[in-house]
Each structure stands twice: as structure tokens, then as C-alpha cells.
Amino acid sequence: MTDALVLIDPAASTVEVSDLGAPHLPVTDLSAHRGDGIFETVLVRLGGSDVTVVNRNRHFTRFCSSASALGLPEPDPDLWDRALETVIAEVRAADPSSTEFGVRYALSRGTQNPDGSQSPRGWAFNVPVDDTITRARAQGISAVSLDRGYDAYLGSKAPWLLIGAKTLSYAVNQAAGRYAAEQGADEALFVSHDGIVLEGPTSNLIIRRGDRLLTPAPEAGLLSGTTQRLVFDHAAELGLTAEYADFGLSEVIDADGAWYVSSMRTAVTLNQLDGNPIKRDEDLTARLQTLIMAG
Ligand code: PLP
């Protein structure tokens, strides 16, 4: 797959096409050694002249609320739109047969200047829908539950934890993924210290119980997902209702179907949790994937 990168200067309001293989970030950038920044990953679907940026507005809205949570300057919609469009145009020009890819855009606090001010910088580049994702979409995944280390609903009492902001500090999420792999599972499932199911390291969980879709409330201590919101907004079209609810691991295992949902995965079946099989709902998986890909 072709690589496309744009560098974004929020102060100058410019985007510049650059070479992904070249060095760009000073090691003093606060994203590099503090993870101090925010990002989004959006799915782009191409068909003929049609371009669908799935959940474009939901992503940008979350990007702005993450910026606010970290005290970063409010992102300018025109600037970030231009960046996104430039990456999409670069990929399409280099590979007209491309049908699907992701675009990751990020805003770093940037480098600390000698006078104490900071110079935020941004970038956007394309990421592939790789074999792991296509396999998960087709076959589903297994997960092991992991203690997230805090009680549910802690976020409002401890805003400095930035629970619910999509920051560049993903070392814990990456470590959870490695830990799950060491246990022979595809994914981790975070559970609050007091036993409430939260989310995967890079996805939300939706379960079906009868004609109800359930997902943990973002306030319980997780990232509010754009994909989960899209599904909930269209639940009636699937003949289902949608509710936020607290539930534990046994409710996931006993569900009539369970899915990991995220921008790049769309919806993938959770086949097994902690070695326990979960009912598969192939029909709803297909309908969820179609619904999400339509954006
Ligand atoms: N939860 C976390 C921690 C994530 O990193 C992500 C995706 O990046 C999600 C949930 C799912 O969010 P979305 O559907 O917006 O991709």
C-alpha cells in the first residue's frame, strides 16, 4: 500500500505533503517522550468516484473534546478537513484501485520553547486495513478479561486521568494487547477493579440480549466510540433497541451475541471470553458491518 503523509502546522494553518520515510519529529516533541497529544483513526471507503469517510463528524467532535481535556488549542475544522482530504487524494492518486484504508490524524503539544510556550504540531497519514483486521471481520476474535486497575465511574472524580480522551499515551493499551496474546487470545477486555466490563484496548464492546443492544456507559470509564454511537443511532433499523448499562463478565458470556466495534474493525464477533464460548449471531454481524461501512 502506498504511504501518504501530511504535516500540519496549526499556528500557520497549513498542510504540507511530506515523505513518511523521512525524519520529522524532534525528539523534544512532547508527544515523543510524554505521549502528550491526541489522535483519531477514521475508516475511508472508496467505490468508483464515491468516497465515504465513516463517522467523519463524530471523529472530529471527539478530537475537539480530547483537545479540550488536554488543554490543547481547539482544532480548526477547515485545517483538519484539508489534511484528511489531502491524504485521501494522495492515496487515490498513487493507487486508484484502493477500496479501503484508514487515516490517522494527530495533534501533539509539540516542543516546549525556551520562553515556556509550546508549538503544537499535527500530522495525518494512511494506515492499511491489514490481514488481522480482515480475518477478525470474517472469523471473529477471542478475548481475555484484564483488570483496568480503577473502579468504574472514577473519571468525574479524577479528570487528570483523562479517561475518555483519545490521547497518544497508548502504552498501557499496547501492553494489554501483548498480555492477551501471551495468554493465547486475540484481544484484551478491560474490566473495572469493581467488576464492571469497560472496553477493549482499542475498541468498544456491544452485546445483544434478546432484542436489546447493550454497551457500557462511557462515564463508567472508557472511550466513547464513534462506531458504537453509529450502531446505537441506527439500532431501530436493525429492529433492536439500544441502551447503556453496567454489566459483568458473566453477562457477556451469556449474551445472545457480542461484538468488538471500532473504526477499522467495524464490528467483529467476540467468539470466546476467558475460554468460554459466546453465541455467534452471523446475520447481525453482517448487518452491523454493512451499516458501519455505509458510514
Ligand atoms: N476504546 C478505545 C480505547 C479505543 O482506542 C477505540 C478506538 O480507537 C475505541 C474504543 C473505539 O472507538 P472508535 O469506534 O471511535 O474507533
Side-chain angles (χ1 to χ4, degrees):
M1 173 176 197
T2 182
D3 290 330
L5 168 70
V6 302
L7 302 177
I8 301 157
D9 183 339
S13 201
T14 56
V15 305
E16 178 199 341
V17 176
S18 196
D19 173 4
L20 192 64
H24 297 291
L25 210 58
V27 293
T28 50
D29 188 284
L30 287 160
S31 68
H33 60 100
R34 294 273 197 245
D36 199 352
I38 56 172
F39 77 106
E40 289 293 327
T41 309
V42 297
L43 181 66
V44 179
R45 307 257 318 158
L46 305 170
S49 58
D50 290 347
V51 179
T52 306
V53 179
V54 177
N55 272 324
R56 184 182 193 131
N57 293 338
R58 284 188 182 89
H59 278 286
F60 190 70
T61 300
R62 187 172 64 190
F63 192 58
C64 292
S65 68
S66 297
S68 163
L70 270 72
L72 288 166
E74 192 180 344
D76 167 12
D78 291 340
L79 176 66
W80 291 87
D81 262 355
R82 244 188 298 145
L84 186 55
E85 293 298 340
T86 307
V87 174
I88 294 170
E90 289 284 309
V91 174
R92 294 185 81 194
D95 179 8
S97 67
S98 177
T99 55
E100 188 182 41
F101 57 93
V103 177
R104 186 159 293 154
Y105 57 88
L107 172 65
S108 160
R109 195 176 301 280
T111 312
Q112 179 98 12
N113 302 315
D115 65 0
S117 65
Q118 289 144 352
S119 306
R121 57 164 63 84
W123 55 87
F125 59 95
N126 61 312
V127 288
V129 175
D130 62 20
D131 291 348
T132 309
I133 294 171
T134 47
R135 204 172 36 246
R137 286 177 182 171
Q139 298 171 9
I141 50 141
S142 60
V144 285
S145 57
L146 300 182
D147 188 338
R148 188 68 179 86
Y150 52 71
D151 285 346
Y153 297 96
L154 179 67
S156 60
K157 285 176 263 171
W160 54 89
L161 292 180
L162 298 175
I163 297 168
K166 195 163 168 64
T167 77
L168 287 168
S169 311
Y170 261 52
V172 167
N173 307 49
Q174 299 286 93
R178 287 194 299 276
Y179 190 87
E182 280 163 22
Q183 312 298 306
D186 300 309
E187 289 276 359
L189 178 62
F190 284 134
V191 181
S192 70
H193 195 58
D194 49 355
I196 305 285
V197 167
L198 298 174
E199 63 182 341
T202 59
S203 46
N204 293 109
L205 175 77
I206 297 178
I207 63 172
R208 180 174 75 76
R209 199 187 288 156
D211 58 6
R212 295 155 70 207
L213 294 178
L214 301 175
T215 201
E219 302 76 42
L222 54 112
L223 188 74
S224 178
T226 62
T227 317
Q228 172 267 311
R229 281 176 179 263
L230 184 150
V231 169
F232 270 38
D233 284 353
H234 292 269
E237 293 162 31
L238 303 166
L240 301 167
T241 61
E243 294 162 43
Y244 293 95
D246 289 346
F247 52 82
L249 291 169
S250 60
E251 276 113 319
V252 181
I253 293 162
D254 294 339
D256 297 316
W259 295 267
Y260 269 38
V261 298
S262 73
S263 302
M264 295 295 278
R265 290 175 188 79
T266 67
V268 306
T269 304
L270 177 60
N271 296 319
Q272 204 186 77
L273 176 59
D274 294 332
N276 302 287
I278 302 173
K279 278 188 204 132
R280 287 170 59 91
D281 183 344
E282 309 273 1
D283 174 55
L284 189 50
T285 304
R287 292 163 73 207
L288 286 170
Q289 291 182 354
T290 305
L291 173 75
I292 297 163
M293 286 178 190

